[in-house]
Every structure is written in C-alpha cells, then in structure tokens.
Amino acid sequence: MSGVKNWLLLILIFIRIDINDGFTISILPSKEKCFHQVASEGQKVFGSYSVSYGGKLDLNIKVTDPDSDLVYEQERKPDGSYEFVALKNGRYQFCLNNQKTSVSTKRVSFSFHLGNEIKNAGLHISKHFGSLEKAVSTIEIGIYSIQDHHYYMMARDKRARYTNESTASRMSWMSFMEISAIICLVIGQLVYINHLFTK
C-alpha cells in the first residue's frame, strides 16, 4: 500500500512541475514589462530575478496586489528573490522597470510562481488525499525554490565568468602594451647612446 502511495506522490509531483516557469526577456531603455498571476487568498506567491546583461545590471522590481497596492519593491538591484502570502483574491502583477536608464537594454531572467495550486485540481475533496496533497504542495514549492536558486546561481556564474574574462583580456592587452613600451624605450635609448658615441 505504501508503494502505491509513493508512486501516486511521484506522479502528482511530476504533473505539477512545469519545467518552463523561468523566462528570459530583454527590456528596452525607458520601458517597463509586467506579468501577472491570479492568486487566491492564503496562496503563496514567490519568485526570483537576475539581470545578466546591460549597463550596470540594475533593474527596478515591483509586485502589486489586485488593488494595485505595493507588496514588494526593490530598486537598482542586479538580482534577488521575493516570497509572500496573498492576502486578497485576484491578479498579482510583477513588473520589471528599466525606466531609470535611457541607454542600456537589460536582459533579465525571472520566475513568478504560485504555491499550493494543487488545491485547484479538486483532490482536497477526498479525505485520503489531505496529507498527501499538503506533502506534494510542500515538495512543489521546495522544487520551485531550488529551481529559482539554480537559475539565479547560473546567471551569477555567467556574469562572474564574463567579468573575469573581460578583466583577463584587459590585463593581457595592458601587459602587451607595457612590454611594447619598454622595448621601444630600450631601442630608443640604444639608438640615442649609439648616436652620442658616433659623434
């Protein structure tokens, strides 16, 4: 019997996991892009974001509730995450704002999830699925959190690698220019000394 429960739990987990919940978009200078999810009261709303390209990698983030009241706001940050419990039924809006710059297009990866969505599938009607439903919901939120953290770490790694490669390239060019300048100075001094002795 416990084997059947384990298989059922695994099937429910895989049904509920959506692999493509992370998005990567480009936001033009002086523009804002908003996305929304419809949440029920008491439902967990969570997500993360990371700017991988553009300017100083800063972006303004805002999450509002159905009455357009501010739930979460972060200004000029390259990455972060948020999590809260919906206090009202309705549409929650997640906005990525690049309006503070007029030059740089930003590339940002983000996710915007709702927890406990399994309750909408009607499984909570059965007495036997109460604890199983709760366990699946908890596992789902945990998997989304791990997935978000993974995307966030990948974006940070990519940004750090780009910075390291850029710095190494600059150092190589600086070293080449310094060696070239030293060789030119040595040749110039040799020519000058030779010229002094030939007079």
Side-chain angles (χ1 to χ4, degrees):
M1 185 68 175
S2 66
V4 173
K5 285 184 180 178
N6 290 340
W7 278 108
L8 186 58
L9 180 63
L10 284 172
I11 289 169
L12 287 172
I13 289 171
F14 287 116
I15 287 172
R16 295 300 309 140
I17 296 172
D18 185 359
I19 301 300
N20 296 317
D21 273 343
F23 299 97
T24 301
I25 59 169
S26 293
I27 303 176
L28 297 173
S30 304
K31 297 291 180 187
E32 180 179 62
K33 287 193 178 181
C34 294
F35 303 86
H36 70 272
Q37 293 253 29
V38 177
S40 304
E41 183 180 346
Q43 198 168 20
K44 192 178 218 177
V45 181
F46 60 101
S48 63
Y49 61 92
S50 178
V51 182
S52 57
Y53 175 81
K56 295 179 181 177
L57 303 176
D58 57 338
L59 202 63
N60 299 326
I61 307 298
K62 184 170 63 173
V63 180
T64 55
D65 69 9
D67 297 331
S68 298
D69 293 330
L70 193 64
V71 177
Y72 173 85
E73 184 176 33
Q74 193 66 259
E75 290 192 4
R76 297 185 167 272
K77 293 285 182 181
D79 49 49
S81 62
Y82 56 90
E83 182 177 323
F84 60 91
V85 175
L87 299 177
K88 304 171 188 171
N89 293 328
R91 189 175 86 158
Y92 284 78
Q93 191 161 283
F94 173 69
C95 293
L96 303 156
N97 183 315
N98 194 23
Q99 292 178 336
K100 300 249 172 150
T101 180
S102 58
V103 180
S104 304
T105 297
K106 308 281 172 67
R107 186 175 303 132
V108 60
S109 300
F110 73 94
S111 61
F112 186 31
H113 304 294
L114 297 177
N116 303 327
E117 288 173 306
I118 199 164
K119 289 184 178 173
N120 298 331
L123 293 176
H124 63 287
I125 295 168
S126 169
K127 300 174 193 172
H128 305 292
F129 284 101
S131 60
L132 181 62
E133 177 186 354
K134 186 176 178 184
V136 169
S137 178
T138 304
I139 291 170
E140 175 191 17
I141 291 169
I143 289 174
Y144 278 140
S145 296
I146 291 168
Q147 185 182 28
D148 286 347
H149 189 68
H150 176 69
Y151 287 141
Y152 167 72
M153 293 307 290
M154 279 177 35
R156 274 188 72 174
D157 181 58
K158 185 188 261 186
R159 195 165 62 236
R161 190 178 319 117
Y162 172 77
T163 302
N164 290 339
E165 287 172 359
S166 173
T167 304
S169 174
R170 288 183 201 154
M171 292 302 292
S172 298
W173 279 107
M174 287 289 290
S175 299
F176 175 75
M177 288 169 52
E178 286 176 2
I179 290 170
S180 300
I182 289 170
I183 290 171
C184 288
L185 283 172
V186 167
I187 291 171
Q189 287 177 348
L190 288 173
V191 168
Y192 180 71
I193 291 170
N194 190 28
H195 180 69
L196 286 176
F197 283 113
T198 53
K199 279 186 174 181

